[in-house]
């Protein structure tokens, strides 16, 4: 009898202890879930990863480096030939803000193993499109690339957001060991001093001033290239006039793999892809630009060639496929494993 009473006391003690332990665990859980003040809240970091991305093109190493975004304002002011309502609907259907159509600046750097080649150079110190640009040099260094190691600069064309980062304001080159490759017709058009007097279009004077600052004074370091020419091993020029008189895209090939740096063949991943006949405000010859866009996008879709688009959402690397009366952009999956 005494033994039974003793066992009952042990059982009651174990049950009470278990309840105390469960209650303590529940209190701890409430604290962890925010019901108590046991832990401080984590601060907001407000930072991003370094804006560069690497991948391989055959044996070549490609690095995309951002110069920062270009805020462009009202899409209807820049994308012409479609109604504001149609543009708004296209942007909304793509889950994009119809009030604005910002463009990125994706500068491609190709390491061939023998040459380090930069395609376009961003805005430099100009604030013509706001203060979010001009980060190429900083981001190159974050990517482990010294601007002094650049052997070649391939300009897709002479607009300020593509050649504006070559020269510093003190008159010295940011890329002192680089040759500059572009068509002669493009060089002459944008460095023509007489165009500084033109008031129409309104961007002509600042664009020409920037081209003269960044392209003149290099002497023999400026090399004029021809349509279809493989002017560096694995890099071929393809003339695509219209956006400018000598706009050029570059086909980069190694070990059976290809990447086409398309520059401003198209500016927007939705508007000028799905409706490639829409014109762009900054085109020198809008009709010719449309022809170049459709012909070369069709070529890239047919041959299933990867592209790097200067103004597409970061990092601008992907493919184009035919879609209805136009095209559709398919961004490549970003592989964050080690490049090798």
């Amino acid at each position: 009898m005494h033994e039974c009473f003793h066992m009952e006391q042990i059982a009651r003690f174990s049950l009470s202890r278990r309840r105390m332990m469960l209650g303590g665990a529940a209190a701890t859980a409430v604290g962890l879930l925010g019901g108590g003040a046991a832990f401080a809240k984590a601060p907001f970091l407000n930072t991003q990863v370094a804006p560069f991305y690497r991948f391989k093109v055959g044996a070549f190493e490609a690095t995309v480096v951002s110069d920062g975004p270009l805020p462009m304002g009202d899409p209807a002011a820049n994308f012409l030939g479609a109604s504001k309502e149609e543009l708004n609907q296209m942007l909304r259907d793509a889950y994009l803000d119809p009030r604005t159509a910002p463009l990125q600046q994706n500068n491609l750097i190709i390491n061939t193993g023998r040459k380090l080649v930069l395609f376009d150079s961003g805005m430099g110190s100009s604030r013509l499109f706001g203060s979010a640009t001009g980060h190429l040099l900083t981001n190159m260094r974050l990517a482990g690339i010294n601007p002094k190691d650049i052997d070649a600069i391939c300009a897709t064309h002479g607009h300020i957001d593509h050649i504006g980062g070559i020269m510093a304001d003190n008159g010295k080159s940011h890329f002192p060991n680089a040759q500059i490759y572009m068509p002669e017709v493009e060089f002459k058009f944008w460095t023509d001093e007489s165009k500084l007097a033109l008031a129409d279009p309104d961007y002509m004077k600042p664009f020409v001033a920037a081209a003269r600052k960044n392209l003149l004074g290099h002497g023999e370091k400026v090399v004029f290239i021809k349509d279809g020419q493989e002017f560096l091993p694995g890099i071929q020029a393809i003339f695509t006039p219209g956006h400018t008189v000598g706009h050029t895209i570059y086909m980069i090939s190694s070990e059976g793999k290809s990447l086409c740096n398309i520059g401003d063949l198209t500016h927007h991943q939705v508007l000028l892809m799905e409706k490639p006949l829409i014109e762009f405000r900054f085109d020198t010859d809008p009709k010719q630009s449309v022809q170049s866009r459709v012909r070369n996008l069709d070529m890239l879709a047919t041959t299933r060639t990867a592209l790097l688009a200067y103004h597409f959402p970061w990092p601008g690397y992907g493919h184009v496929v035919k879609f209805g009366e136009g095209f559709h952009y398919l961004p490549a999956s970003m592989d964050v494993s080690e490049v090798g």
Side-chain angles (χ1 to χ4, degrees):
M1 186 75 172
H2 177 73
E3 184 176 350
C4 289
F5 176 75
H6 181 65
M7 293 298 294
E8 184 178 349
Q9 283 184 315
I10 293 175
R12 288 175 178 175
F13 175 77
S14 298
L15 179 61
S16 297
R17 185 170 182 272
R18 188 178 302 114
R19 286 172 177 168
M20 288 175 63
M21 292 176 66
L22 289 172
T28 300
V30 169
L32 289 172
L33 293 173
F39 296 93
K41 294 180 180 179
F44 293 114
L45 299 179
N46 299 318
T47 58
Q48 292 282 8
V49 296
F52 67 89
Y53 177 64
R54 285 197 176 95
F55 57 97
K56 278 298 190 71
V57 181
F60 294 171
E61 182 179 76
T63 304
V64 187
V65 181
S66 174
D67 188 59
L70 289 171
M72 298 297 291
D74 181 7
N78 295 305
F79 298 92
L80 313 176
S83 69
K84 187 178 182 67
E85 292 71 24
E86 184 179 7
L87 294 174
N88 288 350
Q89 189 61 52
M90 291 173 68
L91 292 169
R92 280 195 296 265
D93 288 347
Y95 294 91
L96 297 173
D97 187 347
R99 297 169 298 179
T100 184
L103 307 179
Q104 296 299 318
Q105 294 182 98
N106 305 316
N107 293 268
L108 176 65
I109 301 172
I110 291 289
N111 188 341
T112 69
R114 300 184 65 182
K115 296 284 187 180
L116 200 56
V117 184
L118 169 67
F119 294 82
D120 294 329
S121 65
M123 287 286 295
S125 62
S126 172
R127 294 296 176 262
L128 187 62
F129 290 95
S131 60
T133 62
H135 301 293
L136 175 63
L137 298 178
T138 296
N139 292 335
M140 283 179 64
R141 292 186 176 97
L142 289 174
I145 299 173
N146 189 329
K148 293 181 179 179
D149 293 335
I150 296 294
D151 298 297
I153 300 171
C154 300
T156 57
H157 60 295
H159 279 179
I160 188 172
D161 53 322
H162 293 260
I163 51 81
I166 296 176
M167 299 295 289
D169 290 338
N170 63 6
K172 294 184 179 180
S173 175
H174 290 304
F175 310 96
N177 299 308
Q179 290 184 300
I180 300 171
Y181 295 87
M182 64 190 309
E184 184 175 12
V185 64
E186 185 73 4
F187 179 90
K188 288 184 174 180
F189 183 93
W190 291 106
T191 58
D192 180 358
E193 187 176 10
S194 67
K195 290 186 174 68
L196 290 173
L198 296 178
D200 185 29
D202 58 358
Y203 60 81
M204 183 61 74
K205 182 176 180 178
F207 277 30
V208 171
R212 289 176 60 81
K213 169 189 172 182
N214 286 276
L215 296 177
L216 295 178
H218 295 282
E220 294 182 354
K221 285 189 174 181
V222 176
V223 180
F224 297 135
I225 55 178
K226 299 183 182 301
D227 185 23
Q229 179 184 359
E230 184 178 346
F231 57 95
L232 291 171
I235 301 177
Q236 179 189 28
I238 302 173
F239 286 7
T240 52
H243 179 54
T244 62
V245 295
H247 184 274
T248 301
I249 64 178
Y250 295 95
M251 190 67 73
I252 301 152
S253 302
S254 171
E255 296 185 342
K257 302 293 184 181
S258 294
L259 172 72
C260 189
N261 186 79
I262 69 169
D264 285 7
L265 187 70
T266 173
H267 288 77
H268 197 273
Q269 72 279 11
V270 174
L271 300 180
L272 294 185
M273 295 291 283
E274 295 182 5
K275 301 286 186 180
L277 301 187
I278 290 177
E279 298 174 359
F280 189 62
R281 177 193 168 207
F282 294 90
D283 288 342
T284 300
D285 185 333
K287 303 303 181 187
Q288 188 181 40
S289 181
V290 165
Q291 294 172 2
S292 288
R293 176 160 54 249
V294 172
R295 181 175 63 255
N296 286 280
L297 288 179
D298 184 79
M299 177 270 291
L300 294 174
T302 301
T303 60
R304 301 174 64 88
T305 301
L307 62 84
L308 194 290
Y310 191 76
H311 289 303
F312 280 14
W314 171 258
Y317 170 48
H319 289 81
V320 57
V321 295
K322 295 179 182 180
F323 180 76
E325 297 180 355
F327 304 90
H328 189 65
Y329 172 61
L330 300 175
S333 175
M334 293 181 67
D335 184 355
V336 296
S337 60
E338 185 174 347
V339 178

